[in-house]
Amino acid sequence: MKSVKGFQKLKDEGQKITMTTCYDYWSAQIINESNIDAVLVGDSTAMVMHGFETTVNATIEMMTFHTAAVRRGLKDKFLIADMPFLAHKKGREYLVQAVEALFKAGAQAVKIEGGTEIADDVNFLVKSGIPVMGHLGLTPQSVNQFGGFKIQGKSQEKAEEIINSAKALEEAGCFAIVLEMVPASLAKSVTEALNIPTIGIGAGKFTSGQILVLQDLLGLTKAFSPKFLRKYLNGYEVILNSLNQYANDVCSMKFPEEKESF
Ligand code: KIV
């Protein structure tokens, strides 16, 4: 998928939308050749790539730096970048500058966490020609308010709040909404209530598409094994074993051999 129009097209054709995160040039090159539809430079980079405890530490400089690296490797796919913590709370001028920096780095859309309360900001950006993706449920930038990375929308009241927020974001012009860590039944209700697609993570199978963090699906984040995650590779072990084999080969003078020497 090369443009934002692809999201609605896939939904309207009844096809699932596949997404992953990406933060760097070399994995972007691999994703570019894959069947993944679109890519998110998530603010999860603060945790996955920089070792912070939460995404609160992501900055616009960090997001721009990673977006530019991904864009250099991701020639043929739609690229969305996360707006970092509080970026839309610093006034319209800051918001515009932040979006401009992300777009100049190669983003084609931005994702913003929040519900009804950010609908005006979303509408302002959409009217300025910026495609915006919403993000509801477990919005990790609010982890301190939630008291941890916990499933959201379990009570009737909270579920209704999420459905109303989803409608408000669609009304404001979002082209799609990420639903993170909500019950599958709620994700189904939200998806049925909207015309725009929903992209789930820990939200069951009834969303219009799915997103997983690249390092999680490749099994590179050793300690992270939430219920919703399927690891398609034991990447941590594969890399660790390869490094140990290399170190052993060097120490036992099995590497380099004559054919690997000049
Ligand atoms: O930052 C991120 O990686 C995300 C996805 C998990 C949706 O927001």
Side-chain angles (χ1 to χ4, degrees):
M1 178 194 303
K2 284 193 171 184
S3 100
V4 69
K5 299 280 177 208
F7 278 83
Q8 196 63 46
K9 187 167 179 284
L10 285 176
K11 173 166 182 183
D12 293 346
E13 288 170 353
Q15 293 187 55
K16 290 285 184 185
I17 301 163
T18 56
M19 288 189 65
T20 184
T21 60
C22 184
Y23 318 119
D24 64 82
Y25 170 71
W26 70 267
S27 44
Q29 284 182 296
I30 302 175
I31 296 170
N32 195 55
E33 280 191 43
S34 74
N35 295 332
I36 298 289
D37 293 311
V39 170
L40 170 73
V41 183
D43 59 354
S44 51
T45 189
M47 299 170 76
V48 179
M49 301 297 278
H50 296 266
F52 289 110
E53 297 263 308
T54 73
T55 58
V56 163
N57 291 83
T59 61
I60 192 64
E61 290 75 21
M62 190 188 282
M63 296 310 301
T64 308
F65 175 79
H66 288 289
T67 301
V70 171
R71 185 78 282 175
R72 286 191 281 273
L74 193 86
K75 307 277 184 219
D76 308 311
K77 293 192 193 282
F78 194 70
L79 185 59
I80 303 155
D82 251 333
M83 290 297 284
F85 185 54
L86 296 182
H88 56 287
K89 299 282 179 206
K90 295 181 183 173
R92 288 276 156 90
E93 198 180 329
Y94 182 87
L95 180 63
V96 168
Q97 281 167 5
V99 172
E100 186 181 9
L102 292 171
F103 270 59
K104 287 196 170 149
Q108 294 163 281
V110 291
K111 175 165 80 57
I112 310 183
E113 294 183 10
T116 320
E117 74 286 357
I118 63 156
D120 279 350
D121 292 319
V122 169
N123 192 246
F124 166 73
L125 288 176
V126 172
K127 280 191 178 143
S128 312
I130 307 298
V132 180
M133 178 179 246
H135 188 158
L136 293 168
L138 173 60
T139 43
Q141 291 173 6
S142 305
V143 64
N144 291 305
Q145 197 167 41
F146 296 145
F149 294 96
K150 295 175 182 163
I151 187 153
Q152 300 297 311
K154 285 210 292 193
S155 69
Q156 180 73 17
E157 189 196 345
K158 291 288 172 193
E160 272 167 25
E161 235 174 66
I162 290 175
I163 294 175
N164 289 338
S165 282
K167 287 181 182 164
L169 291 177
E170 175 171 76
E171 180 74 25
C174 278
F175 68 88
I177 298 176
V178 168
L179 296 175
E180 181 163 355
M181 292 270 284
V182 295
S185 55
L186 172 58
K188 186 169 186 275
S189 302
V190 173
T191 304
E192 286 170 357
L194 301 180
N195 288 313
I196 57 169
T198 54
I199 308 295
I201 173 164
K205 65 177 176 185
F206 300 110
T207 49
S208 320
Q210 299 288 332
I211 183 166
L212 283 177
V213 168
L214 182 69
Q215 283 76 357
D216 295 344
L217 78 91
L218 296 179
L220 295 166
T221 39
K222 192 183 179 189
F224 188 63
S225 283
K227 183 180 176 193
F228 69 79
L229 176 61
R230 186 176 299 176
K231 296 186 180 183
Y232 287 85
L233 180 75
N234 191 350
Y236 194 94
E237 292 297 322
V238 170
I239 292 177
L240 184 61
N241 290 341
S242 306
L243 290 171
N244 286 339
Q245 207 175 324
Y246 164 59
N248 288 342
D249 285 354
V250 170
C251 293
S252 60
M253 290 188 68
K254 285 189 186 145
F255 176 83
E257 287 183 355
E258 210 176 307
K259 65 178 182 204
E260 289 150 334
S261 308
F262 296 103

